[in-house]
Amino acid sequence: RIGEMLARFREKYGLSRPFILFAGRREPFKGWNDLLSGFARALRMGVDLDLVSFGVGWIPPPAEVAGRVVDLGYLPGGDVPGAFAAAAAYVQPSPMESFSRTIMEAWLAGTPVIASGRSDVVRWHCERSGAGLVYEDVFELAQCLALVADAPDALRPLAAAGRDYVLTHYTWDVALDRM
């Protein structure tokens, strides 16, 4: 089923190249500018990925990466799972995140996660699950993106561990039992 979502999403939005995904508010406090800087550094290193984003707000990317950044705007709810499934990796650059529903959505879709280590809660989820790469600055982010481009198979176990983590700890039944 995930494969079908992936194919439908790519076809609907005309996405044929491998890409990393960002979902949410595109603004400095959510790490958008840092993501663009790390992405630009990765492209200068020869990384062959695009950056696809959806959500609200928009800060145009620098000219050097503008042709590699795709803005989908606000997606219909039914398209969101396909966006996560189609991505080579999901990037959560926000230093201000707490739970990060989008990380959980990425893991449920079988997509590896790269996250800012400046968010203690996100770092905790990535370390607890053993399912996410954490970076501290744009240099490390660029290295993570290079790994996504050069060795995507190496990240599959992370995505699988993330899916197991969400299904073990964050289904409705488990969450309600804890309440």
Side-chain angles (χ1 to χ4, degrees):
R1 179 180 161 165
I2 289 176
E4 291 172 17
M5 280 191 310
L6 180 156
R8 274 195 310 271
F9 181 82
R10 283 185 169 279
E11 183 178 335
K12 180 175 181 177
Y13 291 97
L15 300 169
S16 59
R17 294 179 33 74
F19 66 89
I20 57 168
L21 181 69
F22 172 81
R25 292 194 319 263
R26 291 162 294 187
E27 61 183 49
F29 291 118
K30 288 295 197 172
W32 177 246
N33 293 350
D34 291 339
L35 173 56
L36 291 174
S37 294
F39 182 63
R41 178 168 288 285
L43 293 182
R44 288 192 300 272
M45 292 168 42
V47 169
D48 190 24
L49 293 169
D50 288 343
L51 168 58
V52 172
S53 71
F54 69 91
V56 296
W58 179 247
I59 297 173
E64 69 177 311
V65 300
R68 303 289 291 276
V69 178
V70 178
D71 170 29
L72 300 179
Y74 190 81
L75 287 184
D79 289 352
V80 171
F84 284 103
Y90 176 68
V91 182
Q92 175 51 271
S94 175
M96 310 295 273
E97 288 306 296
S98 54
F99 179 72
S100 188
R101 179 184 55 86
T102 56
I103 285 178
M104 303 303 158
E105 288 181 279
W107 281 334
L108 280 176
T111 300
V113 167
I114 300 168
S116 171
R118 293 179 290 164
S119 167
D120 291 338
V121 176
V122 168
R123 175 185 289 282
W124 179 80
H125 280 297
C126 288
E127 290 173 353
R128 179 179 183 216
S129 66
L133 299 177
V134 178
Y135 66 90
E136 294 298 325
D137 55 35
V138 296
F139 304 103
E140 288 183 6
L141 173 56
Q143 291 297 317
C144 290
L145 298 180
L147 180 62
V148 170
D150 297 340
D153 290 341
L155 300 179
R156 289 194 206 305
L158 293 180
R163 184 171 170 75
D164 291 345
Y165 175 75
V166 175
L167 293 174
T168 299
H169 297 286
Y170 295 104
T171 62
W172 276 112
D173 291 339
V174 171
L176 290 174
D177 283 349
R178 271 189 266 159
M179 302 292 275

